[in-house]
Amino acid sequence: MTSSRFQSSNLFKPIKIGNVTLQNRIAHLPTTRNRAANHVPTDLMKQYYTDRAKSGSLLVTEATLISLNQGIYPLVPGIFTKQQSQAWKVIVDSVHEQGGAIALQLWALGRVGNAKLLKENGLPLTGPSPIYEHEQAEKDAIEAGNPIKELSEGEIKDIIYNQFSNAVKLADEAGFDFIELHGANGYLFEQFIHPGINQRKDTYGGESIENRARFLFETLDHLFTLVDSKKLAIRLSPVNLFQTPEVNPSFVEDYTYIAKELQKRADEGHELGYINLVDGRFADATMEKTTAIDLGFIHDIWKGVIIRGGNYTYDEGWKQIEADANEDDRTLVGFGRNFIANPDLPQRIKNGWSLNKYDRNTFYTPSNFGYNTYPFHDDSTPVDEEAEKSRFGVALA
């Protein structure tokens, strides 16, 4: 296969999203990598994103904490201080110098935050309702002396009008092309939406999807007053099993409502840059394969740009990604694991080059090995494994 194969395809045609023109329709999906230093982006992260920016693709960053209040995981980046914003700006500027575009994914953990780390920082473990992810999570929280607490309406307002506001302003100052809300994979927005997790009796919960989606739309409507709506985006996983008790039993009705409300706002002049849809279902982050999900009902309602991802693996000639990109003139196809292992993934797809195999064992390790040690196609430089395992990131600000 050669690049001529794609000359008539949408896959390698430019696409304009908001004020940004991408060189192709292949996106880097958000992938947690645990390479930050005290929640500050590092030189290793700069190299990682800069290398992948050379493809001209849209890069969506790893999930990034909006505050310590909304959950603490070690070695993940944040965007709640000026120092973090300045460090991210170094990365953003480098990506732009290579001709790439970059979106920051904003993360609120809710009930799946680390109870012990929160306790050590004098912070409570909170969620829409006092319902644990599983028995072990409950045991850990109780042993830490930090049992889960239902968010009060005042605390919800603080998350929206202070924590998300601050994060979005700092992300905008850093120069990100897009700011993506993490509304998927069992984190805070999905916790509110999911009827098995949200058992509230007030206007933010109950049987009504209007109430369960209120937190999401109140957040979006407020953020529209701070930045151009086309700089904002959202990631959704309607048929998610990860960190949830079960697939949302009313996912079609719930996400039909959400899609309609997003399109309604678009019609009124507040169109998001894109929706990032998880269309592969997995129950565990260690799973090699996912189950394809048909989310056509969302595609039918939402008329804007969509990133599809979560279920793409190599098939003969990458036929499925080409077919999805050609289905309309608004679809991007997203990769996580294969973009981790192949900094030049779009070029490999275009030219029919073989792929580096990813090593799942290094996805969440803190050193440079398994991070910036995957070669470009034409690079045969040997890797000193021991040296790279001893190399850790240095904060950029």
Side-chain angles (χ1 to χ4, degrees):
M1 181 177 63
T2 65
S3 60
S4 62
R5 154 78 183 281
F6 294 109
Q7 286 181 359
S8 60
S9 165
N10 278 343
L11 199 58
F12 288 94
K13 288 182 179 178
I15 182 171
K16 187 173 183 181
I17 307 176
N19 296 318
V20 179
T21 299
L22 307 176
Q23 296 177 30
N24 57 59
R25 314 291 176 97
I26 297 173
H28 179 293
L29 297 177
T31 51
T32 298
R33 300 309 308 279
N34 291 7
R35 262 72 177 194
N38 195 26
H39 305 302
V40 179
T42 64
D43 58 337
L44 299 187
M45 293 168 61
K46 177 187 175 185
Q47 181 182 343
Y48 179 88
Y49 289 112
T50 300
D51 283 349
R52 284 150 186 80
K54 296 172 184 177
S55 69
S57 297
L58 172 63
L59 310 179
V60 185
T61 71
E62 60 222 273
T64 300
L65 298 174
I66 63 166
S67 69
L68 290 182
N69 174 276
Q70 264 312 294
I72 307 174
Y73 289 163
L75 302 176
V76 299
I79 187 73
F80 47 89
T81 69
K82 287 283 188 180
Q83 179 189 13
Q84 292 163 344
S85 178
Q86 290 165 359
W88 273 120
K89 187 177 188 306
V90 175
I91 294 173
V92 171
D93 289 348
S94 184
V95 166
H96 288 162
E97 287 170 5
Q98 296 298 325
I102 186 167
L104 182 70
Q105 188 186 70
L106 298 185
W107 204 16
L109 302 179
R111 71 174 189 155
V112 298
N114 187 303
K116 185 174 184 291
L117 289 177
L118 285 164
K119 180 70 172 181
E120 291 171 356
N121 283 269
L123 297 167
L125 174 66
T126 59
S129 300
I131 298 175
Y132 292 94
E133 180 187 359
H134 42 58
E135 288 184 4
Q136 186 61 50
E138 181 175 9
K139 180 182 177 182
D140 292 344
I142 292 172
E143 287 182 354
N146 200 8
I148 194 168
K149 173 181 174 293
E150 179 172 295
L151 287 162
S152 69
E153 289 197 29
E155 289 168 330
I156 292 171
K157 300 291 186 186
D158 181 69
I159 293 170
I160 296 170
Y161 296 98
N162 293 323
Q163 296 176 43
F164 269 108
S165 289
N166 179 60
V168 164
K169 290 174 183 176
L170 290 172
D172 196 38
E173 289 175 11
F176 282 98
D177 299 289
F178 303 100
I179 303 166
E180 178 181 303
L181 304 185
H182 195 344
N185 301 124
Y187 296 108
L188 189 60
F189 284 115
E190 187 175 8
Q191 290 168 27
F192 271 90
I193 293 166
H194 198 297
I197 301 173
N198 184 348
Q199 300 290 304
R200 302 176 68 92
K201 304 301 181 184
D202 60 8
T203 57
Y204 291 98
E207 296 183 5
S208 162
I209 181 55
E210 291 82 1
N211 281 359
R212 286 183 280 114
R214 189 180 307 279
F215 172 57
L216 169 61
F217 286 109
E218 187 173 340
T219 302
L220 279 173
D221 289 341
H222 173 60
L223 298 182
F224 292 156
T225 70
L226 304 180
V227 293
D228 183 347
S229 65
K230 287 192 175 181
K231 291 194 72 170
L232 295 170
I234 188 165
R235 183 164 168 84
L236 299 171
S237 56
V239 197
N240 177 46
L241 274 170
F242 182 61
Q243 300 184 144
T244 67
E246 61 179 345
V247 170
N248 181 340
S250 55
F251 78 89
V252 174
E253 295 86 351
D254 289 354
Y255 285 89
T256 292
Y257 171 81
I258 290 169
K260 285 182 176 179
E261 286 295 309
L262 291 173
Q263 186 57 48
K264 175 184 174 183
R265 283 162 173 76
D267 294 339
E268 295 171 346
H270 293 299
E271 181 179 1
L272 296 180
Y274 61 84
I275 296 177
N276 190 344
L277 277 181
V278 181
D279 59 6
R281 181 170 66 198
F282 66 99
D284 188 305
T286 65
M287 289 179 64
E288 283 294 330
K289 295 183 179 180
T290 57
T291 303
I293 302 298
D294 182 4
L295 298 176
F297 69 97
I298 293 179
H299 295 233
D300 291 341
I301 298 167
W302 171 251
K303 305 305 179 186
V305 174
I306 290 177
I307 299 178
R308 299 180 61 172
N311 200 55
Y312 291 118
T313 56
Y314 179 76
D315 61 8
E316 184 183 352
W318 298 99
K319 289 181 179 178
Q320 189 59 53
I321 66 165
E322 184 182 13
D324 288 347
N326 286 343
E327 189 173 306
D328 51 46
D329 198 35
R330 64 189 178 111
T331 296
L332 278 65
V333 293
F335 292 87
R337 290 165 291 183
N338 280 321
F339 226 142
I340 285 173
N342 297 275
D344 52 351
L345 179 64
Q347 284 72 28
R348 290 178 185 251
I349 292 173
K350 186 175 184 179
N351 293 293
W353 296 336
S354 62
L355 301 185
N356 299 322
K357 293 182 179 179
Y358 56 81
D359 180 0
R360 186 180 291 280
N361 293 324
T362 64
F363 281 180
Y364 307 111
T365 52
S367 76
N368 197 49
F369 184 72
Y371 190 52
N372 290 312
T373 53
Y374 290 107
F376 285 79
H377 176 258
D378 57 355
D379 184 2
S380 59
T381 306
V383 172
D384 185 335
E385 181 174 338
E386 292 306 312
E388 296 301 334
K389 283 184 175 178
S390 301
R391 183 182 169 202
F392 300 93
V394 177
L396 289 170

